[in-house]
Amino acid sequence: MIQLFRLSKSFGPSTALSDLTMRVHKGEFVFVSGPSGAGKTTLLRLIFGSEKPTSGHILINGINLSRINRSKLDLLRRSVGFVFQDFKLLPAKTVFENVALALQVIGYRRTFVRKRTHQCLKLVGLAEKEKAFPLQLSGGEQQRVAIARAIVKNPLILLADEPTGNLDPDLTEDIMVLFKTINMKGATVIIATHSRELLKGGAQRTISLIRGRIVGER
Amino acid sequence: MKLRLWPYLFSQAVINIMNNRLVHLIGLGTMVISLLIFGIFLLLFVNLSAWIEGWGSSLTISVYLEDGIGDHARNSVASFIKRLPDAELKRFVSKEKALSDLRNTLGPQAGLLEGLSRNPLPASFEVLFKEVGGKDSDPRKIKEQLEKFKGVDEVQYSEEWVNRFKDLMKIVRLVGLIIGGLLFMGVLFIVTNTIKLTIYSRKDEIEILKLVGATDWFVKIPYMLEGIIQGIFSGVLALLTLFLAYFFISKEKAYFFSFALLDFSFLPYEYSLAIFLLSVFLGLVGSLIAVDRFFDI
Ligand SMILES: Nc1ncnc2c1ncn2[C@@H]1O[C@H](COP(=O)(O)OP(=O)(O)OP(=O)(O)O)[C@@H](O)[C@H]1O
Ligand SMILES: [Mg+2]
């Protein structure tokens, strides 16, 4: 379970999030929506622990992120997948290596890493591009590499920041099905998006942010 | 760190070096040059100390004999001297020889000696010590022992000179230590900054590794291995260059040094080993210091 309590984040004079309180239960599927600059990325980064709140608390399964040291955070991150809005792929590594990395850092066996990486690349439709380098791929393909890297370790929590921003409608649907499947298997999924298209279909819980505040929930 | 991770970490270090050849080449060059400067300094310092030591520690002692000393007494003094360690009985100076030496030294003023009714100069042994300062070659003790012999009048050596030599060696060591220390810090500074540069160009990579859940050590170890590998190569290259330079200079030694008859030798192996270990250490510490700056993710 993810609990946010009176969470605020400022960057110098500008406030990205102010006084946010909410909770996401284990196994939930949640959208965070809002216009550009609303604070969606900031919110996900705070949950991921790669950004520290200015005030307030974040609890993940009862663990207060501001109370744990870095090596505990590293351990916690092993069960959290993050699809970065700007992908954050390593340009000098192949697609396969980029995805495998998320398993290697945890110390999985080589044979398992290979098998599981293949499997995930197939899931996102990139089995043929394994040996390519990120900069040789289209934007949508890079985005799917980022998605594969986030799901490869079977995370308990999946944070996806605008994961379909570069995908065509068909691929978008495929990826959403993929996320739903992961969710069915028990993972908590939080997706940040400003795409109305994405929000239209489902009856999912949606939290709307505007200028760092929750303005509605559905 | 799990054993299973090491092959990955090591191959990562090698891949990183290959992917960043140019940066590493620059780092390597900087390190080799820095170490070379340090090595040249050490080489000169070691040789200079050896020269000063060799020149200063060869001390001459004069053993003055009483007039009319018998052959037997004289021989026993001579054989005692020959048994002394590090000592060489250079020559026996008879009364007549001493006088003629003096006459030669005086030159035109030799006439002063004409009025003498008898030769006032004593006969003496000149003893050369190649090494002074050891416990068996303390000039004071030898003087004491020799003066107990029958027929020995006086033993002279220049105490002042021995002390001055010791002071000179102290100064040389101190200056060497200071210059060497400064050079060492300079090298450390240059090396860590070069490595910082090589790592700075990859801070995005460090960030991403941390974001996908790598522990600090998982990120650091390849960089440390890179530093060690770079240190090994730099150390070997610097020593090799230094040795080649030494080799060619000493081949021309006859030309360079013949006037002084000085021995020019390479660094003792402890020093070479020290330079090598220093290089490895610098590579390791340099990359550790450098990588630590990017760890607030
Ligand atoms: N590192 C930063 N330094 C300074 N300001 C920042 C930083 N990150 C975010 N902000 C500011 O915080 C606000 C929220 O940014 P955030 O990236 O969370 O928006 P977003 O909802 O993800 O927008 P988008 O849909 O365009 O991705 C913005 O006004 C932004 O300028
Ligand atoms: Mg964003």
Side-chain angles (χ1 to χ4, degrees):
Chain A
M1 188 164 65
I2 303 168
Q3 291 161 286
L4 311 179
F5 182 70
R6 306 209 63 177
L7 196 63
S8 296
K9 176 69 182 178
S10 313
F11 297 98
S14 78
T15 305
L17 290 176
S18 59
D19 206 13
L20 226 77
T21 299
M22 62 180 254
R23 79 173 44 176
V24 176
H25 290 282
K26 186 172 183 313
E28 252 193 294
F29 192 108
V30 182
F31 282 111
V32 176
S33 74
S36 182
K40 305 180 292 294
T41 299
T42 307
L43 177 62
L44 294 191
R45 286 166 60 93
L46 283 167
I47 295 171
F48 191 55
S50 61
E51 202 78 72
K52 302 237 173 316
T54 309
S55 65
H57 295 282
I58 304 155
L59 275 74
I60 308 233
N61 295 329
I63 300 165
N64 190 334
L65 286 194
S66 45
R67 295 271 163 76
I68 60 173
N69 60 20
R70 264 229 315 278
S71 59
K72 285 261 173 55
L73 188 63
D74 289 335
L75 283 178
L76 198 64
R77 270 186 199 167
R78 293 182 171 188
S79 53
V80 183
F82 200 124
V83 183
F84 298 97
Q85 195 170 9
D86 55 353
F87 316 147
K88 294 206 189 298
L89 302 174
L90 288 166
K93 288 190 188 295
T94 63
V95 166
F96 182 87
E97 288 166 344
N98 264 286
V99 176
L101 187 66
L103 294 174
Q104 277 164 335
V105 299
I106 303 175
Y108 281 112
R109 277 176 204 291
R110 219 166 14 170
T111 45
F112 174 78
V113 171
R114 206 173 299 150
K115 210 177 94 203
R116 176 78 187 139
T117 305
H118 281 309
Q119 198 183 4
C120 279
L121 282 170
K122 208 183 278 170
L123 279 177
V124 298
L126 283 178
E128 267 91 71
K129 300 276 183 177
E130 271 184 13
K131 294 206 171 64
F133 288 91
L135 294 178
Q136 298 168 336
L137 301 181
S138 74
E141 286 167 338
Q142 289 181 40
Q143 185 149 42
R144 283 181 282 154
V145 179
I147 291 168
R149 187 181 60 187
I151 64 172
V152 73
K153 59 188 168 188
N154 278 321
L156 295 175
I157 298 172
L158 179 67
L159 306 172
D161 195 356
E162 214 65 71
T164 57
N166 292 279
L167 303 181
D168 61 52
D170 283 350
L171 270 175
T172 299
E173 211 177 301
D174 290 350
I175 293 299
M176 290 314 290
V177 169
L178 182 60
F179 286 165
K180 291 256 169 66
T181 316
I182 292 168
N183 175 241
M184 303 281 226
K185 289 186 191 156
T188 309
V189 178
I190 303 180
I191 299 174
T193 183
H194 46 52
S195 149
R196 296 212 175 82
E197 211 58 37
L198 208 59
L199 300 170
K200 232 191 278 174
Q204 306 300 338
R205 180 181 174 199
T206 305
I207 294 162
S208 305
L209 285 182
I210 291 182
R211 271 187 261 133
R213 290 176 188 280
I214 297 179
V215 295
E217 195 173 331
R218 180 169 62 84
Chain B
M1 197 71 11
K2 280 185 200 145
L3 204 61
R4 178 184 321 145
L5 287 175
W6 280 98
Y8 171 81
L9 295 172
F10 191 78
S11 67
Q12 204 51 45
V14 174
I15 290 169
N16 280 345
I17 290 176
M18 296 313 285
N19 284 348
N20 298 277
R21 269 178 303 244
L22 186 67
V23 184
H24 271 279
L25 226 54
I26 293 169
L28 190 80
T30 315
M31 238 167 122
V32 169
I33 290 170
S34 310
L35 286 170
L36 209 51
I37 292 171
F38 189 64
I40 289 171
F41 167 77
L42 266 187
L43 188 61
L44 291 181
F45 176 73
V46 166
N47 276 288
L48 185 70
S49 318
W51 294 337
I52 294 176
E53 196 131 7
W55 157 63
S57 60
S58 53
L59 171 77
T60 309
I61 291 185
S62 297
V63 183
Y64 295 105
L65 304 173
E66 286 168 358
D67 286 357
I69 181 176
D71 279 354
H72 179 71
R74 206 178 76 187
N75 286 339
S76 67
V77 172
S79 65
F80 172 78
I81 290 170
K82 279 177 191 151
R83 278 199 311 273
L84 284 174
D86 296 326
E88 187 191 329
L89 180 53
K90 223 169 88 189
R91 60 181 187 148
F92 172 70
V93 184
S94 65
K95 286 175 71 74
E96 295 73 32
K97 180 79 171 69
L99 190 63
S100 75
D101 280 357
L102 183 61
R103 203 171 268 136
N104 286 337
T105 323
L106 288 175
Q109 271 113 44
L112 290 171
L113 300 173
E114 293 309 315
L116 294 172
S117 59
R118 61 184 190 91
N119 183 351
L121 299 176
S124 65
F125 285 115
E126 275 180 15
V127 187
L128 182 74
F129 284 88
K130 288 192 213 83
E131 192 100 29
V132 182
K135 67 173 171 16
D136 297 328
S137 51
D138 179 4
R140 215 165 326 175
K141 246 170 63 192
I142 291 165
K143 176 181 155 91
E144 254 170 45
Q145 286 172 327
L146 275 168
E147 281 179 344
K148 283 196 195 112
F149 273 85
K150 187 165 155 277
V152 171
D153 186 28
E154 200 187 356
V155 175
Q156 273 189 0
Y157 70 92
S158 169
E159 178 143 27
E160 198 187 337
W161 206 80
V162 169
N163 287 338
R164 211 180 281 168
F165 159 71
K166 282 183 181 156
D167 287 346
L168 180 67
M169 272 319 286
K170 261 187 219 152
I171 292 171
V172 167
R173 285 217 181 89
L174 188 68
V175 170
L177 213 67
I178 291 171
I179 297 179
L182 287 176
L183 266 176
F184 176 79
M185 290 198 302
V187 170
L188 184 72
F189 180 77
I190 290 170
V191 168
T192 50
N193 273 292
T194 317
I195 295 177
K196 238 178 237 173
L197 226 62
T198 73
I199 291 184
Y200 195 79
S201 64
R202 285 186 277 162
K203 72 178 205 306
D204 291 346
E205 187 181 315
I206 295 178
E207 189 202 341
I208 291 172
L209 278 169
K210 291 295 298 173
L211 289 176
V212 299
T215 59
D216 286 2
W217 288 111
F218 189 90
V219 181
K220 272 185 206 176
I221 287 172
Y223 284 104
M224 287 160 66
L225 290 175
E226 271 182 73
I228 291 174
I229 292 172
Q230 187 164 340
I232 289 173
F233 276 103
S234 308
V236 168
L237 267 177
L239 283 174
L240 211 65
T241 315
L242 192 63
F243 183 78
L244 284 179
Y246 160 79
F247 182 73
F248 285 113
I249 288 176
S250 61
K251 241 176 74 174
E252 301 291 317
K253 190 169 104 178
Y255 174 74
F256 279 118
F257 296 103
S258 59
F259 60 89
L261 287 173
L262 290 173
D263 229 10
F264 188 57
S265 53
F266 195 61
L267 291 175
Y269 84 95
E270 297 98 326
Y271 283 71
S272 308
L273 189 68
I275 288 185
F276 177 73
L277 291 179
L278 173 73
S279 177
V280 176
F281 173 80
L282 282 177
L284 174 64
V285 170
S287 54
L288 256 182
I289 292 176
V291 82
D292 258 353
R293 292 188 51 220
F294 301 112
F295 264 82
D296 294 318
I297 297 155

